[in-house]
Amino acid sequence: MIPFRYERPDDTAAAVDVLSSEPGAAYLGGGTNLVDLMKLEVARHDVLVDVRGLTPATIDDLPGGGLRIGASVSNSRLAADPRVRRRYPMLSQAVLAGASGQLRNMATCGGNLMQRTRCVYFQDLTTPCNKREPGTGCSAAEGHNRDHAILGASPQCVATHPSDMGVALTALDAVVRVQGPDGERAVPFGDFHRLPGDTPQRDTLLGHGELITAIDLPHLPSASRCRYRKIRDRASYAFALVSAAVALEVRDGAVHEVRIGLGGVAHKPWRASTAEETLLGRPATAASFLAAAEAELAGARPLPGNRFKVPLARNVVVGMLNDLAEEQL
Ligand SMILES: Cc1cc2nc3c(=O)[nH]c(=O)nc-3n(C[C@H](O)[C@H](O)[C@H](O)COP(=O)(O)OP(=O)(O)OC[C@H]3O[C@@H](n4cnc5c(N)ncnc54)[C@H](O)[C@@H]3O)c2cc1C
Ligand code: SF4
């Protein structure tokens, strides 16, 4: 491992100052992703600025009924919070579907959003990878691409985003609160992560030095009728082949509100807006659900190794919508 300096400033402003003056510095949360990547020398940083405990470690009620999740809240604590379990059950289920108990105890919510792809070539210094080393090529495009993207990819990168939490957060219209050298800003979750385009080295729209301080969840009464489902090779300790966070509210037999997030299919947690638009006001039937899922996946461009993801994603979404509808009829 390349030697680095460890710093623990007194507050978030001082942490932002350190990063602003050190181009090779990075924030350290629980370290469950960053330290692994540093050991592999995929990530190389001169300075690590420990922000675990500097950003808030509390979950607070917002006026109007939402919740503010501090960036230092552990993944375990988020999943166990009674308000999250009652009001946003799919968020709790998504977090519990990820990693292991020990990892969730260490991992922070800020770090979870910033975790890097699990593409095997990204972690292998001996292979070309545009995300790790821009301009070298994408080994996955012609290589092992079973785990890769079917939506929104580019010739430069076909990686997927690994976060389960992010799939629920995109469906919930969360907002990421950020503190940076130029002040504070609030970023809608759907804009936070990027598609790869020609610059796959950038996963998010954060600039160097910008620090996640919290994640806001809006008040969403319908979000209690929801669930998260993750399809993976093993029952635990495996990343999603396809996952979905779905909320559905049926009134008088028709779709009154629907939210669908997909994981394991794109470079970012994917909001299935086309499926949602197709469904609003339509009868809450299996035929409508199938038409909506097919409309969303009409834009899928699978790779030789992951064609199975298209029917898998369709079946997961349709099955979850059917289950949620049946419970309300
Ligand atoms: C074996 C294993 C299995 C896993 N399985 C899953 C899984 O199934 N599903 C899943 O979703 N995840 C899984 N994970 C990933 C795990 O969820 C992440 O490693 C964890 O959430 C990262 O949080 P952290 O606090 O440890 O981040 P760190 O490792 O400390 O940091 C990760 C990145 O975030 C940046 N960062 C940290 N805090 C902030 C902040 N406040 N503002 C800005 N940037 C910040 C760091 O600079 C770094 O780039 C797995 C991890 C392992 C090791
Ligand atoms: S898919 Fe992206 S991360 Fe994987 S090898 Fe290609 S450029 Fe690298």
Side-chain angles (χ1 to χ4, degrees), residues 248-258 278-292 318 320-329:
L248 178 72
E249 188 177 350
V250 178
R251 285 197 196 162
D252 300 326
V255 174
H256 179 73
E257 191 174 340
V258 60
T278 309
L279 273 176
L280 276 180
R282 307 290 303 165
T285 60
S288 304
F289 300 150
L290 179 60
V318 172
M320 291 175 77
L321 287 165
N322 274 326
D323 290 351
L324 287 162
E326 267 174 29
E327 289 165 15
Q328 296 172 55
L329 293 174

Side-chain angles (χ1 to χ4, degrees), residues 74-206:
S74 72
N75 290 194
S76 302
R77 179 122 187 277
L78 174 66
D81 186 279
R83 293 162 297 177
V84 174
R85 286 162 54 102
R86 192 172 60 251
R87 292 191 234 160
Y88 312 96
M90 69 182 172
L91 177 57
S92 176
Q93 292 163 14
V95 174
L96 291 174
S100 66
Q102 287 116 322
L103 285 161
R104 293 193 297 268
N105 288 343
M106 277 306 287
T108 62
C109 290
N112 188 302
L113 302 190
M114 298 294 288
Q115 62 176 296
R116 312 283 331 257
T117 184
R118 293 283 159 168
C119 173
V120 289
Y121 303 106
F122 176 69
Q123 301 189 10
D124 178 356
L125 295 184
T126 66
T127 58
C129 169
N130 286 325
K131 187 180 277 298
R132 176 169 32 77
E133 210 176 328
T136 55
C138 172
S139 298
E142 304 285 329
H144 173 85
N145 47 39
R146 178 174 181 268
D147 301 323
H148 290 69
I150 56 171
L151 291 163
S154 77
Q156 277 67 43
C157 180
V158 293
T160 53
H161 196 275
S163 170
D164 288 291
M165 181 192 296
V167 181
L169 291 178
T170 196
L172 290 169
D173 282 321
V175 172
V176 184
R177 302 192 68 83
V178 175
Q179 183 177 348
D182 301 324
E184 296 184 12
R185 61 176 175 148
V187 184
F189 196 82
D191 299 335
F192 184 79
H193 295 95
R194 298 179 65 252
L195 291 178
D198 290 334
T199 50
Q201 67 273 23
R202 291 189 57 213
D203 294 344
T204 70
L205 54 58
L206 288 194

